[in-house]
Amino acid sequence: MLKDLLAQRVNPDVPSALSGLFPKDDDPRALSFAAGSPREDLFPVAAMQAAFTTAIAENGAHLFQYQTAQGNPALRAKLAARIGKWGQVTTTADQVVLTNGGQQAIELVAKALLNVGDEVAVEVPTYIGALAAFDLYQPTYHAVPLQADGLDLNRLEDTLKQHPRIKLLYTVPDYHNPTGITMSVTKRKQLVDLANRYDFIILEDSPYRDLGYTHDPLPAIKHFDTEGRVVFVSSLSKILMPGLRTGWLVAEGDLLTAILRTRQASDLEANNVVHAAINAYLDTHDLDAHVAALRANYRDQCAALVRALTAYFPDEVAFTQPNGGFFDWVTLPPEVDTADLLTRAAIPQAHVSYVPGTNFYPARNVHNGLRLCFTGLTPDEIDLGMQRLGTVIKAAVREVRPVV
Ligand code: PMP
């Protein structure tokens, strides 16, 4: 069997955390709350097309030459200024690396840090793509629960006391995927204090930080970094277009050197043509104005979802109250398996799809959560979809909790 030749890190008997993300339903009534995709009708396609033309006209053949591992310096300078303004991170272009999406940044950090069996702490539930990237390096996971104001730091400290060799903590502090939760400013500072005390690296992954519907972005965790322990990662996927495959990270010292070394082994260097085009786009367009337009749209969709969940879901079901980002997290009674509910009732009866919660846990051991993405549907579609899903959820809850 050729399968036997595969490396253990891609063990084919254990499905990738990213598999099964987009359940299929070909029915014309189908409404998908599964994929975490931004709205295509809000993509600035014509402006980006013009920016490509400008970048190519201005740079000529040299644009298509090999360049540097860190990527376009002018774009790096703009991103450094942006995170300075909106995240209060003091940094410069020298500490920024352009990557192939935020996903590559996560994978490069994992590759630079993790030996087989190394200990990693993650908040749970957590971003599936981060687990997929970490899984390749075969770490030992420690799951730390989330609270309404972010990571439970008491539980994290208990875990650190028991497992002092934890070397990496992964967190999505702003409008978290999959729960929509945002970490309080107090906790951001306390988390850095813990990292200094217990000697670990924080991977701060923040692709949704600009998409707050009630307030401006909070200071990044990296703002509080005193020892170069925080690697900040973000992306243009959610605020511009994911097909540009442009993410970026901020790191310093030995960590930055190690990350650049892994990047050269992976793909030598960043996608220079695309980055020159993005830089040209940013020279003539106000990204903050574009983001404000996105927020105005997504805010209504987010409000429609929370309204519909309140109206149609039974009292036994809990859901988060996001005020930014793309997602809401729904928790059913522990006896209900949301993967089973999806294929047995949600798709065939309600024609509604979501992402079942199991894959958001490193041990794949929690089965009663589900993620809803509200960005892909209109407020009316969201209302209709939640009305239909509410009906099948009520029936599932009544099966395990009969009304006496
Ligand atoms: N981090 C989080 C939390 C995400 O939700 C995503 C996209 N779903 C990414 C990273 C990676 O996105 P991209 O590679 O498109 O930047």
Side-chain angles (χ1 to χ4, degrees):
M1 292 273 283
L2 281 179
K3 183 170 126 172
D4 297 335
L5 300 179
L6 296 174
Q8 278 168 7
R9 74 176 75 88
V10 285
N11 183 350
D13 299 327
V14 180
S16 157
L18 283 169
S19 66
L21 252 194
F22 306 117
K24 252 186 101 58
D25 181 4
D26 294 327
D27 192 281
R29 287 165 294 175
L31 294 171
S32 175
F33 294 78
S37 304
R39 264 175 60 177
E40 242 166 83
D41 61 322
L42 302 173
F43 288 172
V45 177
M48 194 56 73
Q49 187 174 5
F52 268 92
T53 304
T54 305
I56 294 170
E58 281 178 1
N59 297 283
H62 186 62
L63 186 61
F64 296 87
Q65 185 56 278
Y66 284 115
Q67 307 273 348
T68 66
Q70 256 176 285
N72 184 299
L75 179 55
R76 281 192 278 125
K78 287 187 174 73
L79 293 171
R82 190 171 173 78
I83 195 55
K85 177 176 175 196
W86 290 117
Q88 297 175 40
V89 175
T90 310
T91 189
T92 58
D94 311 344
Q95 297 178 331
V96 173
V97 181
L98 302 179
T99 55
N100 203 30
Q103 184 65 31
Q104 187 191 27
I106 298 168
E107 209 264 339
L108 292 179
V109 171
K111 195 184 281 183
L113 290 178
L114 300 179
N115 297 311
V116 174
D118 275 355
E119 299 187 59
V120 174
V122 294
E123 54 204 357
V124 285
T126 193
Y127 169 50
I128 290 179
L131 291 178
F134 298 150
D135 281 352
L136 290 179
Y137 301 95
Q138 301 169 277
T140 302
Y141 287 107
H142 298 286
V144 183
L146 278 165
Q147 297 172 307
D149 61 349
L151 201 58
D152 183 336
L153 294 184
N154 292 328
R155 292 285 290 276
L156 175 62
E157 186 157 14
D158 290 346
T159 308
L160 290 163
K161 281 182 184 147
Q162 278 174 34
H163 304 281
R165 294 168 64 99
I166 288 176
K167 66 157 67 154
L168 174 66
L169 171 106
Y170 171 74
T171 179
V172 181
D174 302 292
Y175 316 119
H176 175 259
N177 178 1
T179 65
I181 286 171
T182 292
M183 187 187 287
S184 67
V185 176
T186 315
K187 281 193 170 178
R188 291 172 195 237
K189 171 150 190 356
Q190 289 169 344
L191 180 59
V192 172
D193 292 342
L194 280 177
N196 290 344
R197 245 184 311 134
Y198 288 89
D199 189 22
F200 60 91
I201 307 281
I202 299 170
L203 175 49
E204 174 181 23
D205 180 20
S206 188
Y208 303 97
R209 68 179 347 272
D210 301 283
L211 297 174
Y213 308 137
T214 54
H215 54 72
D216 282 344
L218 298 179
I221 297 171
K222 184 137 185 80
H223 165 68
F224 298 103
D225 188 11
T226 48
E227 300 183 356
R229 292 180 175 280
V230 182
V231 180
F232 174 86
V233 171
S234 193
S235 171
L236 296 180
S237 287
K238 317 294 173 178
I239 57 171
L240 218 41
M241 300 183 270
L244 297 167
R245 302 309 305 127
T246 298
W248 51 291
L249 63 83
V250 182
E252 52 226 86
D254 291 342
L255 252 174
L256 175 61
T257 309
I259 289 168
L260 283 172
R261 189 165 163 167
T262 60
R263 124 63 52 86
Q264 281 172 317
S266 287
D267 62 352
L268 287 183
E269 54 184 55
N271 188 335
N272 202 46
V273 178
V274 170
H275 293 160
I278 295 172
N279 186 56
Y281 169 87
L282 294 176
D283 277 337
T284 47
H285 295 83
D286 179 357
L287 184 56
D288 287 336
H290 177 66
V291 169
L294 298 180
R295 278 201 300 257
N297 282 277
Y298 292 147
R299 180 184 292 124
D300 289 348
Q301 293 165 278
C302 181
L305 181 69
V306 173
R307 238 185 353 256
L309 291 171
T310 311
Y312 305 126
F313 277 34
D315 293 344
E316 292 86 345
V317 172
F319 51 88
T320 51
Q321 302 278 344
N323 51 11
F326 281 20
F327 307 111
D328 201 323
W329 180 257
V330 179
T331 307
L332 278 64
E335 307 91 313
V336 181
D337 181 324
T338 54
D340 173 62
L341 184 73
L342 181 69
T343 50
R344 189 170 49 81
I347 289 183
Q349 290 168 26
H351 295 291
V352 165
S353 53
Y354 54 77
V355 181
T358 312
N359 280 2
F360 296 92
Y361 293 82
R364 320 279 197 268
N365 58 348
V366 178
H367 305 284
N368 60 325
L370 63 90
R371 188 191 77 178
L372 297 169
C373 175
F374 53 77
T375 56
L377 299 163
T378 65
D380 285 347
E381 289 170 329
I382 290 169
D383 188 78
L384 180 64
M386 287 306 103
Q387 203 170 343
R388 290 199 224 137
L389 185 62
T391 304
V392 300
I393 284 186
K394 261 185 210 144
V397 170
R398 285 296 151 258
E399 262 175 49
V400 296
R401 303 269 169 93
V403 182
V404 284

